[in-house]
Amino acid sequence: MENKYDYEYDKFREAGKASFEALTYAKELVKPGKKLIDTANELEKFMKDKGFGLAFPVNISINENAAHYTPTVNDESVFTNNDLVKIDLGARKDTYLQDCAVTIDLSGKYANFVDTAQKALQEAISSVKAGRKVCEIGAAVEKVVKGAGLKPIENLGGHGISEEDLHADIFIPNYDNGDDTALEEGQVVALEPFVTNGAGHVIEGEHLQIYQKLGNVNARSEDTRRISEFIDKNYSTYPFAVRWLVNAFGSEFKVRRGLNELAALGALESFPVLVEKGKGIVAQAEASVIVQKDGCEVLTK
Ligand code: MN
Ligand code: MN
């Protein structure tokens, strides 16, 4: 493929396949009574055992939680038969990241949400090609979602994926936001419709378990310096979970204190849980693709 992007596409493909296999495995794991923490650990182990890194911690967001819930180290919560469960994950091959998600309905009540998110994703995939404006993809998603009597979430959407960067330059809305930025041949993007019966907007909640290191700083405390070096060595600038650090350092208090110091120094980006503003139920579907001249290649398959 001739294009301006200088990617090793086979690494994207390998990571995409492993990510999709993990999503398929998630459908077996997610059952009423199962602990969220066990599910996250098993999915992360699944990708690591295949020889991949993690693009970010496995997200398990339920009902009105739209994204960015990952369990704490001692998380006692279990899936129930009232849950609409979003599993969002990605494998990493060297610097090549992937991102995909599926929604699992344990309640039997939310088939319309799951089907609509999936149909909207298929519509977005069909719409992708070089030169396509992102607002046109958004319009296609919006039409499917509103046609099903639901709302798209307006402040969540798809994004570019470049080497080492899960959220690169381009934003792909889930409604017609008028942005006429065009997709480019060879670009890798994630498409991710979110649908809800709530306000159509997410806000930040309390639960904060995912961070990303931004740069180097001189922390005063010895503990914080050790934590900082551990993050650099093991997670580089990829998002990580607090529970990973607690497993390595033993003390949640020590880890929290270190992360607070790094955050105060401006060395961390934080990703709190994103909650539907009207407490609506949320479903999501996500795939990563390579933009081609006349269409796209789905990577997470
Ligand atoms: Mn994404
Ligand atoms: Mn995702």
Side-chain angles (χ1 to χ4, degrees), residues 2 15 21 25-26 39 46 105 143 154 183 192 206 208 211 268 274 287:
E2 290 286 325
E21 286 167 357
Y25 181 42
T39 307
F46 179 90
D105 178 21
K143 191 174 172 212
E154 296 193 349
L183 296 178
E192 51 178 321
E206 295 280 305
L208 172 55
Y211 291 91
L268 290 182
L274 297 174

Side-chain angles (χ1 to χ4, degrees), residues 32-272:
K34 173 99 179 175
K35 278 188 179 178
L36 276 65
I37 182 66
D38 293 343
T39 307
N41 285 336
E42 286 161 38
L43 289 170
E44 288 170 358
K45 182 173 186 299
F46 179 90
M47 290 183 274
K48 286 187 200 164
D49 285 352
K50 285 178 176 290
F52 292 87
L54 301 172
F56 55 92
V58 168
N59 285 212
I60 306 178
S61 307
I62 297 175
N63 294 343
E64 72 270 20
N65 287 341
H68 297 171
Y69 187 100
T70 202
T72 61
V73 75
N74 297 314
D75 208 308
E76 289 296 319
S77 48
V78 296
F79 297 114
T80 78
N81 55 16
N82 276 314
D83 290 348
L84 188 64
V85 183
K86 279 80 63 188
I87 301 284
D88 193 331
L89 53 77
R92 175 169 61 80
K93 177 78 177 178
D94 302 333
T95 54
Y96 292 87
L97 316 167
Q98 285 288 275
D99 189 3
C100 57
V102 70
T103 299
I104 301 161
D105 178 21
L106 296 179
S107 75
K109 296 184 288 191
Y110 302 126
N112 186 41
F113 290 74
V114 176
D115 293 349
T116 302
Q118 200 57 47
K119 271 183 205 149
L121 175 60
Q122 288 310 322
E123 196 66 22
I125 289 171
S126 303
S127 173
V128 167
K129 63 174 185 176
R132 177 72 76 201
K133 294 171 182 168
V134 295
C135 65
E136 293 172 337
I137 300 173
V141 166
E142 183 176 15
K143 191 174 172 212
V144 171
V145 177
K146 289 194 169 161
L150 297 169
K151 290 179 191 166
I153 292 183
E154 296 193 349
N155 57 337
L156 290 175
H159 47 89
I161 300 176
S162 66
E163 274 194 84
E164 298 185 336
D165 190 357
L166 189 64
H167 291 102
D169 29 84
I170 202 163
F171 176 78
I172 304 174
N174 289 321
Y175 69 106
D176 183 355
N177 69 348
D179 181 353
D180 62 7
T181 305
L183 296 178
E184 295 173 338
E185 186 173 0
Q187 198 169 27
V188 174
V189 298
L191 304 164
E192 51 178 321
F194 284 82
V195 308
T196 185
N197 58 353
H201 213 84
V202 288
I203 53 174
E204 292 183 350
E206 295 280 305
H207 181 91
L208 172 55
Q209 293 289 318
I210 303 173
Y211 291 91
Q212 182 172 11
K213 190 104 183 296
L214 296 175
N216 280 318
V217 284
N218 279 319
R220 275 175 54 215
S221 95
E222 174 64 27
D223 281 344
T224 302
R225 281 202 298 274
R226 283 178 54 227
I227 289 168
S228 182
E229 282 163 17
F230 186 89
I231 295 168
D232 292 342
K233 181 167 175 280
N234 292 281
Y235 317 132
S236 181
T237 56
Y238 302 112
F240 61 88
V242 175
R243 59 187 157 81
W244 297 351
L245 289 177
V246 177
N247 286 334
F249 286 89
S251 158
E252 188 157 6
F253 175 76
K254 195 190 279 189
V255 167
R256 273 286 172 200
R257 195 176 50 191
L259 290 175
N260 288 342
E261 188 179 351
L262 290 175
L265 291 166
L268 290 182
E269 172 126 16
S270 59
F271 298 94

